[in-house]
Amino acid sequence: MQINSIIPAPFYNRDVVQVARELIGKRLVRRSDAGLISGIISETEAYNGSQDLACHARAGRTARTATMYGPAGHAYIYFTYGMHWLLNVVTGEEGYPAAVLIRAILPQEGLDLISKNRTGVGREHWTDGPAKLTRALLIGKELNGINLTNSDSNLWIEAGVPIPQDNIYVSSRIGLGKTPEPWLSMPWRFRISDLAFMDKP
DNA sequence: AGCACGATTAACT
DNA sequence: GTTAATCGTGCTC
């Protein structure tokens, strides 16, 4: 893939909800020791500032959430449920804590590597969850804070395939537990509703 | 210093 | 539909 197709920093230095919507269809690329692994982003969620009670930054700036306060276009990767790593992209002005959770991708390159990283799991479930895709792409704490707009990084996001607005399904975020309203119902989850276009050669 | 819980997953009944 | 796995983080004592 061409270096010049990497999404530049200004794309991320905007409203987190808008970025979450526009990340649908972009290509997430991981360069591992074994080779390239990539997939089209098919599901995202926006987490918007310390006032958003579903956002980790609700507790203010801590060692864990520090990257969310950093520059847009960097990766915020955190550990949860004692075993899972989740990948987010920092958005907005430096100092404002907001990020987009990458919830699912559609595998494109490095299928043999993904298969290896997801042994015992059916192809349809290789990367259809936020912790599944980080396992498939070998993403962990060592990539926390990495610049996703830098061609020297081992993780970046490229221009992918255009997704029409009417093929993006909007709903409320999931897995938020006891998060109170209105945050629980904010329409900040985006996903491709019709995957038929992927089946074309 | 101790504790409850989580932006989940996979394996159950 | 239900639940165990598993541990860093942030809050309470």
Side-chain angles (χ1 to χ4, degrees), chain A residues 97-117:
Chain A
V100 176
L101 171 67
I102 309 298
R103 287 195 59 89
I105 64 174
L106 304 167
Q108 280 209 318
E109 304 165 272
L111 302 187
D112 51 333
L113 296 174
I114 294 179
S115 171
K116 199 169 131 193
N117 299 334

Side-chain angles (χ1 to χ4, degrees), chain A residues 1 25-32 35-42 104-115 117 123 126-127 133 136-139 154-160 198:
Chain A
M1 270 300 152
K26 300 289 191 288
R27 179 183 297 108
L28 178 67
V29 188
R30 166 76 164 125
R31 181 166 50 213
S32 73
L36 281 188
I37 310 174
S38 75
I40 297 297
I41 297 172
S42 57
I105 64 174
L106 304 167
Q108 280 209 318
E109 304 165 272
L111 302 187
D112 51 333
L113 296 174
I114 294 179
S115 171
N117 299 334
R123 196 190 177 97
W126 277 353
T127 56
L133 74 89
L137 272 60
L138 306 173
I139 294 171
N154 287 323
L155 185 66
W156 66 88
I157 300 175
E158 303 175 343
M198 288 296 292

